[in-house]
Amino acid sequence: MKSYQKLTPPQPAACQVEEEGAAPVLAGHGKLAPWWVGSGLLVAAVLLSTITVWVLRQVSGGWLGPTPPPKCLLVPESHRFDCYPERHVVVTQELCESRGCCFIQSPPPVEGKRGVPWCFYPPDFPSYTLESLNQTALGMVGLLVRREKAYYPRDIEMLRLDVEFETDTRLHIKITDATNPRYEVPLDVPRVTKRAENPIYSLNFSWDPFGVLLQRRETGTVLLNTTVAPLIFADQFLQISTSLPSKFLYGLGEHRGSLLHSLDWNTLTLWARDVSPTESFNLYGAHPFYLLMEEGGDAHGVFLLNSNAMEVALQPAPGLTWRTIGGVLDFYIFLGPDPNMVIQQYQQVIGFPAMPPLWALGFHLCRWGYGSSNETWQTVRAMRNYQIPQDAQWNDIDYMDGYRDFTFDSQKFASLPSLVEDLHKHGQHYVMILDPGISSTNPRGSYWPFDEGLRRGLFLNTTQGQPLIGQVWPGFTAFADFSNPDTHQWWLENLQHFHAHVPFDGLWIDMNEPSNFMDGSEEGCPPGELDSPPYTPAVLGDSLSSKTVCASAKQKASVHYNLHNLYGLMEAKATASALIQIRGKRPFVISRSTFPSQGRYSGHWLGDNRSQWKDMYYSIPGLLSFSLFGIPLVGADICGFSGSTSEELCTRWMQLGAFYPFARNHNTQNEKAQDPTVFSPAARTAMKDVLLTRYSLLPFLYTLFHHAHLHGDTVARPLFFEFPRDVATLGLDRQFLWGWSLLVTPVLEPGVDSVIGYVPQGTWYDFYKGYSVNSSGEMLKMSAPLEHLNLHVREGSILPTQKPETTSEATRQNPLRLIVALSSSATAWGDLFWDDGESLDSFERGSYSYVMFNVTQNVFTSTVLHASTEATKVTIGTLSIFGVQKPPSKVLLNGQEKPFSYLDNQVLTVSDLGISLNQGFSLQWL
């Protein structure tokens, strides 16, 4: 609503911070009026709400109880912030009013959804008061005081407020205990030394009750207003709410659902959990970050740096409530102003993703249930026989001896070392799975990983100081404590021992929520407020220990209560470090559980999906969400993990999966095989063709990952990132872009030979043939027979491609083909990053080539901005220019005439260029 720009009352009790260096202007200590008073639309809503309650009381015969106080009737339904969020409690008027809150029953919600809260905060509910505020070199420091206790135990009466104006587009607000230290996430974040000089935001404070009011200077849009509900800061219950400037909110992972979140009383829980992706469940990772699109196309993001169990409640006001049960309230706000910049600014705090090795961007194949190394090898040979691209072969837990880490079955997988040697000879790679649960029941002296881990004290312990024993695949297990640096060394030594026998290239770390087949431990969990806190967020299983370890488990850095959501991140950090030390090359790690900054160490796959059409669709919002989270190397199990796929589903999924940044076909045991070789010739050919298309685009994809590593750009990108002012794009999640220029429109339903996709305004070119599609920004029906995936190139872009082979290593030897998509003004731009594909820190060491391509006034120019010897091994062979309006009379390469072809679809092609990538050149058509 436009009225949200009126959120600040005319004469608030507030501190306004505007000019650099100026002392804050301190207003009087009057009470702040309700945040929504003064808005005509909301006053109407209040009247309507009051009338509705009165009518319901008449028709219900009084079941709604006595008439609430007038102050309660003043609060519109959409603005009722929940005062009794506990699940599985029938909230009565007595329970509600014991907390000092308003009670108005509403009609029950449909299908078990939360609906309008019956118990909500009145406008005058006691909160904190901002007692003092002083300037610091970087911002301000303040003291917050609560004079009336709230309703959770161990209220913290005095809080410290720290505000740092870190950059012109980044604000840091932290609220913590003023007198006692509390757990904080051990994440390396940037420390600024200078206050921002020209912030694009303005910050106000309400004094009584305390609240933060943040606005965008240019538009006046209110981005945060925390006066909408009281701040609560107890030892194990921290809550802060805010209004939102629009309903277009994304992020807050890991969940299955549409990319755009519903604000219809929707609660998202963040607590790492092993469960097949299911709507409304908390899944494998925790990402307390959201991106919000404002009206007019600006964007901002908010990151709560907190690793405790958490839920985020969304409501149609629009509004949002953060609830967490530990740590501190440590917020970073990113002002963009466009969505690409928001994600870049977020990654400036959490860290940019690692540059993957080139082979990581090839096609990966896996299944649980090959049964033997010979069967695995047969699959590899079949792929080669049909000349289907494949860069990596994987094995699931069946390669292990008794499902124990760092072992392989000497009977069924006896030939595993030979298989890996054969893969390497063919320019391919081997990846195997590892779990963090270490078998604990072997005879002493027979299993070094457990014996040595026990000797060094490297496992999670119970409150009694003994290793916590759970149950995973090998049976009873202890869990490695990756918060202990000594565990990283032990992990490395185990991997070194195994690598001496099976020289793996990458690692797949699974079950690292951590997953446990029993709740807590073999002995359950002890009584106490870590395992049974005063408030438990809406986690699957209704307990923090459900299918994981006890929250009270002791780790080196803290208790598991604080560290649970960090477990996968800490394991990924140890695993990437070990791979670097073992191989001396860029590490390749894929992790199931993730947390902010994970992209620095690993990629992610979206977990144990099913072979169903809806699962294929849900993979798109999944991979786009992880692009927002700074983990660009992401994909889903192509064709589905569990259940049995069909040929049509698998063909369509291979087409979509060929454009996952991380492309792996994976299957469970006891289901029929689903690798490309097992299908009919027609399906197999369609799968092969789309993989060859992916391999032809590896130079483009690799360059996108370079920009992700260097600047925090996204690789797979939602359409609204490129067209933020086109409201039609804000809810699109059945299509996506690679970078800014390649539009992917997959078929996501059975039995069709066409697909309807949105084509943003402008000229787009068919990737395969080069013919143009001119759109005013509309849904278009595209032909999509089973063998075809629709790809369109955006006007004004240049894509570096390469003749594909069956591995990335072979592909990179071939000549490049540059696809030029001319804009309506006959211009275009593109670039290429090139290095050896595997060396550590090649950009940082200067061992790379970077080439920029440009077209203006019928002249294509290649400019080498940085050169290395690697680029002398590759040549530019062909230039294909889409959108040349009329046939040229001649083409000049560096002033010399050159043969060319020109087709009716306005594609000009110049072949046999033979120019080294390290050599700049120009090509003109007349």
Side-chain angles (χ1 to χ4, degrees), residues 441-457:
T441 56
N442 309 277
R444 179 167 293 189
S446 66
Y447 185 50
W448 191 86
F450 178 75
D451 293 341
E452 191 63 14
L454 185 64
R455 187 183 73 80
R456 300 187 199 179

Side-chain angles (χ1 to χ4, degrees), residues 73 161 474:
L73 291 172
L161 168 71

Side-chain angles (χ1 to χ4, degrees), residues 44-78 80 93 102-107 116-120:
V46 170
L47 291 172
L48 182 60
S49 173
T50 307
I51 293 167
T52 301
V53 170
W54 181 86
V55 170
L56 282 170
R57 289 179 189 287
Q58 304 311 305
V59 301
S60 68
W63 68 270
L64 289 177
T67 303
K71 67 179 181 180
C72 298
L73 291 172
L74 276 172
V75 183
E77 281 193 353
S78 63
R80 293 177 184 171
Q93 184 166 353
C102 294
F103 183 81
I104 299 178
Q105 282 179 273
S106 303
V116 181
W118 292 5
C119 184
F120 58 94

